[in-house]
Amino acid sequence: MATVLNYNKRNFFELKDELKNYIKQNYPDTFQNLEDTSVGSVFIDILAGTSEALYYNLDRTFQETQLENAQLKNLYSILPKILE
């Protein structure tokens, strides 16, 4: 399996295209029909949607760890710990 997934894709449609290309190159005999009405396409949609949600949650979690990017409600809970 020479092809590697590109993990820089962040939205649903980029992830879906990346997964389809990966499957076509590495499993051409197993998944021959990846049309929008096929069962394999449903699995790709589920995987792309789950990946997009995980990327979003990861970005939000990282954003909240940075003081300059944190939301105001979280700054009030962090500030007393910093001032101690």
Side-chain angles (χ1 to χ4, degrees):
M1 297 198 191
T3 308
V4 179
L5 284 173
N6 182 1
Y7 293 106
N8 292 329
K9 308 292 183 185
R10 292 295 179 122
N11 68 20
F12 175 80
F13 296 106
E14 290 176 347
L15 287 164
K16 184 176 176 179
D17 290 339
E18 188 73 22
L19 288 168
K20 277 188 177 182
N21 291 335
Y22 180 81
I23 289 171
K24 285 178 184 177
Q25 289 178 359
N26 292 312
Y27 304 102
D29 297 332
T30 306
F31 293 100
Q32 296 172 351
N33 183 12
L34 291 177
E35 301 295 325
D36 288 338
T37 58
S38 69
V39 175
S41 180
V42 172
F43 291 128
I44 291 172
D45 288 348
I46 292 170
L47 186 58
T50 304
S51 300
E52 182 183 29
L54 288 173
Y55 280 135
Y56 174 77
N57 289 329
L58 182 65
D59 289 342
R60 288 288 296 164
T61 302
F62 181 74
Q63 178 185 0
E64 291 300 318
T65 62
Q66 308 300 314
L67 276 178
E68 61 271 4
N69 296 329
Q71 299 296 322
L72 187 60
K73 62 182 178 181
N74 290 333
L75 286 177
Y76 289 127
S77 64
I78 296 171
L79 194 58
K81 295 175 184 175
I82 294 173
L83 295 177
E84 287 180 350

